[in-house]
Amino acid sequence: MQIIILSLGSLIITMYVFKEWEDAKLRLWSKVKKLKKHIPDYGYSDSNRAYSTDEKFCRFVIQKLRDVKWKIVDVLNMLFETGVNNLEMLEKTKNEIDMFLDEVKIRELSCRRSITSEVLDSIVEYDFNITEELEKLKRETELLFEFSLKIETPANRMFDEKDILELNKKVQTIEKHVKKIREMFEERDKLINLKKLHLLDFVKEKIKTI
């Protein structure tokens, strides 16, 4: 790790340089390249860039989740107007997305001062997998919306049982994607936020106190 101290008048900025990033970038270039399409100047070459990348990544996640949430709201409104009342699962999924959104919005980043190649690899893997999973979530939500458009409600305003089963099946798929994204985001947060120190970093800190 290299430490750079920048002085801007009375403001002093300390920047930690992560030399391991160049090797990690080469190892995972295909994934980094795809991430750069969504996150401008994606990278973890130093602490300042890590902060910037994390902020932009979180904004990306928030926007994707919001898009999914409002698509679900459209489905809820459309089905309610059609006379469907069995919408508890869909309401629950929307509420889970709301809670996840709040968690992402209020989190605070405390970036590592040093970082290993293994941890950098893991962070990139999580960033990539979360991005891919968000795309799957978007596709499944669009399929749910298209399915809702095709629903024909009988004159007695009773929802067809087969339609209910198909609706719940699609909602369960969406719920699984939301849960998976949330779990991956939490694991990513532990890595980047020092909530869970890498074993090597932990040993080094202990040695310093001896």
Side-chain angles (χ1 to χ4, degrees):
M1 178 192 70
Q2 180 183 358
I3 302 175
I4 296 176
I5 299 176
L6 303 174
S7 178
L8 301 174
S10 59
L11 180 64
I12 297 177
I13 301 173
T14 303
M15 183 171 70
Y16 302 93
V17 178
F18 307 137
K19 293 181 178 179
E20 296 84 357
W21 169 246
E22 289 304 316
D23 290 335
K25 185 173 70 173
L26 288 173
R27 281 193 301 274
L28 299 167
W29 175 243
S30 62
K31 294 180 178 180
V32 171
K33 188 177 178 180
K34 288 183 179 179
L35 284 164
K36 282 177 174 287
K37 292 179 180 179
H38 302 292
I39 318 296
D41 194 35
Y42 176 89
Y44 296 93
S45 55
D46 58 66
S47 55
N48 287 355
R49 191 177 178 194
Y51 273 109
S52 176
T53 293
D54 180 77
E55 183 181 355
K56 285 182 279 190
F57 181 77
C58 288
R59 284 204 302 264
F60 172 78
V61 171
I62 288 170
Q63 185 57 57
K64 291 294 182 181
L65 288 173
R66 278 178 176 163
D67 290 345
V68 167
K69 173 194 164 182
W70 289 116
K71 184 68 74 175
I72 289 175
V73 169
D74 287 342
V75 172
L76 281 166
N77 292 335
M78 184 165 44
L79 291 178
F80 182 76
E81 289 175 4
T82 309
V84 182
N85 297 315
N86 308 68
L87 301 173
E88 291 82 3
M89 283 184 65
L90 195 54
E91 283 279 5
K92 180 173 173 283
T93 301
K94 183 189 81 69
N95 292 337
E96 286 174 355
I97 293 173
D98 271 330
M99 286 188 288
F100 184 22
L101 275 166
D102 288 339
E103 290 171 7
V104 179
K105 284 187 281 189
I106 66 173
R107 70 187 281 280
E108 293 183 7
L109 177 64
S110 176
C111 190
R112 289 171 175 269
R113 294 187 177 186
S114 63
I115 199 163
T116 65
S117 296
E118 292 84 359
V119 171
L120 275 172
D121 286 358
S122 295
I123 292 171
V124 173
E125 291 284 357
Y126 276 121
D127 288 354
F128 179 80
N129 291 335
I130 289 170
T131 302
E132 292 287 291
E133 201 65 28
L134 281 166
E135 288 302 314
K136 293 177 185 176
L137 175 61
K138 178 186 175 184
R139 285 196 295 272
E140 292 297 335
T141 310
E142 288 170 348
L143 288 174
L144 175 67
F145 183 80
E146 290 169 8
F147 172 75
S148 301
L149 288 173
K150 295 175 183 177
I151 292 173
E152 293 183 6
T153 308
N156 61 6
R157 305 295 287 173
M158 293 294 289
F159 199 41
D160 186 270
E161 188 176 345
K162 290 181 180 179
D163 287 338
I164 292 175
L165 291 173
E166 183 64 24
L167 175 71
N168 286 338
K169 185 179 177 181
K170 291 183 181 301
V171 174
Q172 284 174 345
T173 301
I174 290 171
E175 194 173 24
K176 286 178 183 177
H177 285 301
V178 173
K179 182 180 179 182
K180 187 174 181 180
I181 293 166
R182 196 173 187 176
E183 288 174 351
M184 287 193 293
F185 192 88
E186 287 173 356
E187 291 302 313
R188 174 190 183 273
D189 223 27
K190 291 174 185 176
L191 286 172
I192 201 168
N193 257 328
L194 274 178
K195 289 180 183 175
K196 186 176 180 182
L197 281 168
H198 187 273
L199 179 60
L200 183 60
D201 293 337
F202 178 79
V203 172
K204 286 179 179 179
E205 291 298 319
K206 283 294 182 184
I207 291 173
K208 289 178 183 177
T209 62
I210 297 176

